[in-house]
Every structure is written in C-alpha cells, then in structure tokens.
Amino acid sequence: MSSMLSRIADSLFWIARYMERAEDTARILDVNYHMLLEQSQQTIRLRWEPLVNMTGEQEEFFHLHQVANTQTVFEFLAFDERNANSILQCIFRARENARTIRDRISREMWQDINSLYHSVSHFRAEEELAVGPHRFCDTIRSGCHRFHGVSDDTLPHDEGWQFLQMGRALERTDMTARIVDVEYHNLVERINPGEKPDNHQWMAVLKSVAAYEIYRRQYHSRIEPERVAEMLILHPQHPRSIRFNVQTVQSALRAISGAGVGYYANEAERLTGRLMTSLAYDRIEDIFARGLHPYLTDVQKTSRQVGHQIAKTYFYYATVA
C-alpha cells in the first residue's frame, strides 16, 4: 500500500471510529438521562459515574471534577474540549480527517459530515441541560446514521470502504465490552444477596445499544442479566454484539489482505481470528465460569492490540485509540 493510500485508509478508519464513538456516547447519555428522570422519586444507585467508566475517561474526568452528577458528566462527555473523546471533539476530529481526504470521498459524504459539524457547533451545554439532552443526542445519532448510509451508497466498496467498516466495528467491539462489564458489575455483582436485579436499569442497558426490541423477540421473558450479557457478547447477527463486530473486523481484514479462511496475513488478523474462535464456540456459561470481567477485559485488550497492529501494518505508525 502506497504512502498516499495509507493516509487515506488511516483517515477513513478514524472517521468511522470517531463517528461511532460520538454516537455511542450520545446513546448512553440520552437513555440514562431519561431513565433517571423516570426514577426521580425513587431511591436509586448513583448512575452518573458508571457512564464515565463506560467511555473509559474516568481518570481524566476526576482530574477535572470532584463529583459525578448530571451537569458535570453531561458537559464532560458531550461538550468539554479538555476531553479528547467528548462528542463534540469526536465530530470535530472526524470532520478534520474527512477534510484532508475530500478529493477521495464522495461529495455527499463531505457535505454530510460538514453539515453535522456545523449543526453541533451551535449547541450550548447549559441550554441542552435546561431542556434535556435528547435534542442534542438525537442530532448526533441521526447524523451518524445518515453519514454511514451515505457512505455505503456513494463510496466504492473497495479497500477504503473496508477500512471504514473496520474502524466502526472495532469501536463498537470496545464500547459494548465496556458497557456490559461496567453494568454487570454495578447491577448484579454489587447488589445485596436476595435483592432482585433492577429490570428498569437493564432495559436502559439494552436501549443504549439498540437491543431492547430484539431481546424481547428472542427471549420472550423478563430481562435477565445473564441473557443480556449473552446477547451483547455472543449474538451472531445483532449489529452491536461483540461477536458480530469482531466478525466484521475479520472480514474487512481478509478482504484487504486476501487471506483465506483458516489463514492470516498479519498480526491484526491473527489476534482477530483468535478472539473470533472464542466468540464462535464459547457459550455464555463458559464465559461466566472463567469470569465475565476477565473475559471482557481481554476483549478490550485485544481490541486495542488489533487497532495498534492495523496501524502498524497499514498506516506506518502506531495510533493509540
């Protein structure tokens, strides 16, 4: 791959990651904010700190803030320029990557991401807190959906498109692993013996990854934490499950390298294939027997390693997510 093609692939990979990161954070904020409003008259566990943990930004957050509450968490995750992974910063960085390769993406893709950038630039944290974050979060969600739809319809499905798919899927893998890990610890492992899981909060978990309806259709039962974990880790067809997204990364890597099934052309493919084998053959009982937290920690570690190896193999330098 030439230096110029590497630069284009790098930008497409990171456009997809930043757009997905922005959308995931918007989903988490919107769903959990409204869940808290519905439970405002009840005694509920602290729900804001886990949201920061899901994004992996707890160290930076508590460096800047003493307490996690509605205002500090919303401003930090949505608007704060000091948080490199705030929603606004992700959209800005996605747009900057798109700007550098404007001649290599479709006109519609550029118009879409540029329009989203200008739309979100006009939002103000205090105004969105006053009316509730749904308007802002829905703008992000809709903009990200539109961008990926436009990309699929207007970008040739060549190597560049594969890097776009790969970046999006790798970001989803990491985020879903963090969501399940944080929420299972908070909502199952920390409850008192004999206390029933909070179905309302598990509903929020499913809604935050667009999985509530499919859960109801598949299990026909009340929400059970083990089944939620099973769906979000092992479901072969849900577009936000870990298995589905690792499969997407693997397929994109093979499409680029030409490696056949059962073979690997580079370290990113080897790591992805090893994780995919576990996801394809393990049952949720096997994962719980080994420990859910260690398993999901390993998924996140492998995801980071795959990202590093993709950069090393195709972009000529290591990039930290």
Side-chain angles (χ1 to χ4, degrees):
M1 189 179 281
S2 71
S3 177
M4 183 181 73
L5 290 177
S6 292
R7 178 180 62 81
I8 295 163
D10 182 19
S11 291
L12 287 166
F13 179 79
W14 280 101
I15 288 169
R17 292 205 72 162
Y18 288 137
M19 293 292 277
E20 183 63 28
R21 202 172 289 180
E23 184 192 342
D24 291 344
T25 305
R27 281 182 173 276
I28 290 168
L29 274 174
D30 195 23
V31 169
N32 282 273
Y33 180 86
H34 288 286
M35 185 201 71
L36 283 167
L37 284 185
E38 291 166 14
Q39 293 195 337
S40 60
Q41 302 305 314
Q42 303 173 28
T43 302
I44 59 170
R45 268 183 212 73
L46 178 66
R47 291 289 301 155
W48 288 109
E49 186 175 336
L51 302 195
V52 178
N53 297 343
M54 283 179 214
T55 63
E57 297 295 331
Q58 55 268 44
E59 186 176 333
E60 179 65 18
F61 177 83
F62 284 108
H63 174 71
L64 296 169
H65 301 283
Q66 290 185 316
V67 64
N69 57 33
T70 306
Q71 181 175 351
T72 58
V73 172
F74 179 69
E75 289 182 353
F76 177 78
L77 293 182
F79 292 94
D80 202 329
E81 293 182 5
R82 297 168 296 179
N83 174 12
N85 291 312
S86 70
I87 292 171
L88 253 63
Q89 286 301 303
C90 285
I91 297 299
F92 294 166
R93 289 158 84 181
R95 189 247 191 190
E96 184 61 21
N97 273 278
R99 187 188 62 78
T100 65
I101 57 169
R102 274 187 68 175
D103 59 330
R104 304 307 293 262
I105 60 176
S106 68
R107 179 174 55 85
E108 290 93 337
M109 284 174 69
W110 166 250
Q111 288 176 339
D112 220 67
I113 200 167
N114 191 47
S115 173
L116 180 60
Y117 164 81
H118 286 294
S119 292
V120 300
S121 297
H122 291 107
F123 282 98
R124 296 291 176 265
E126 58 276 9
E127 292 175 16
E128 299 316 302
L129 269 173
V131 298
H134 179 71
R135 179 176 63 181
F136 171 77
C137 292
D138 192 54
T139 299
I140 300 298
R141 259 200 322 269
S142 300
C144 291
H145 289 174
R146 190 173 58 245
F147 173 79
H148 285 295
V150 167
S151 300
D152 282 351
D153 275 358
T154 63
L155 191 68
H157 287 206
D158 55 11
E159 284 187 352
W161 184 83
Q162 296 292 352
F163 279 105
L164 202 65
Q165 303 310 302
M166 195 191 306
R168 186 187 193 187
L170 196 62
E171 190 66 32
R172 281 189 177 180
T173 298
D174 194 48
M175 178 59 88
T176 299
R178 276 204 302 269
I179 288 173
V180 177
D181 192 22
V182 170
E183 294 289 35
Y184 201 89
H185 174 68
N186 270 346
L187 301 179
V188 176
E189 294 170 353
R190 291 176 63 179
I191 67 174
N192 299 321
E195 187 180 347
K196 290 183 179 180
D198 187 334
N199 270 13
H200 198 75
Q201 293 191 31
W202 278 110
M203 192 187 304
V205 174
L206 288 166
K207 286 182 176 179
S208 69
V209 289
Y212 178 66
E213 289 82 6
I214 191 173
Y215 180 94
R216 286 299 196 193
R217 287 197 298 270
Q218 176 152 337
Y219 293 106
H220 307 290
S221 66
R222 66 184 180 84
I223 299 174
E224 300 173 20
E226 292 79 6
R227 299 282 75 84
V228 174
E230 180 179 47
M231 170 167 282
L232 298 186
I233 297 170
L234 297 178
H235 199 289
Q237 293 162 332
H238 192 277
R240 290 183 182 273
S241 79
I242 292 172
R243 176 176 172 177
F244 181 94
N245 284 289
V246 172
Q247 176 75 66
T248 300
V249 174
Q250 185 180 56
S251 297
L253 283 167
R254 284 176 175 167
I256 292 164
S257 73
V261 177
Y263 298 89
Y264 60 87
N266 51 59
E267 184 64 6
E269 289 184 33
R270 187 189 73 82
L271 290 167
T272 306
R274 189 181 67 182
L275 178 55
M276 190 61 216
T277 299
S278 164
L279 292 162
Y281 292 103
D282 278 347
R283 299 167 303 173
I284 195 65
E285 294 83 2
D286 302 323
I287 292 172
F288 274 105
R290 294 203 301 271
L292 182 65
H293 177 65
Y295 184 87
L296 292 170
T297 299
D298 187 59
V299 168
Q300 293 171 69
K301 180 182 176 184
T302 301
S303 177
R304 287 192 296 272
Q305 290 173 334
V306 169
H308 176 83
Q309 291 299 327
I310 289 168
K312 187 176 179 182
T313 303
Y314 293 109
F315 310 150
Y316 298 115
Y317 57 87
T319 307
V320 178

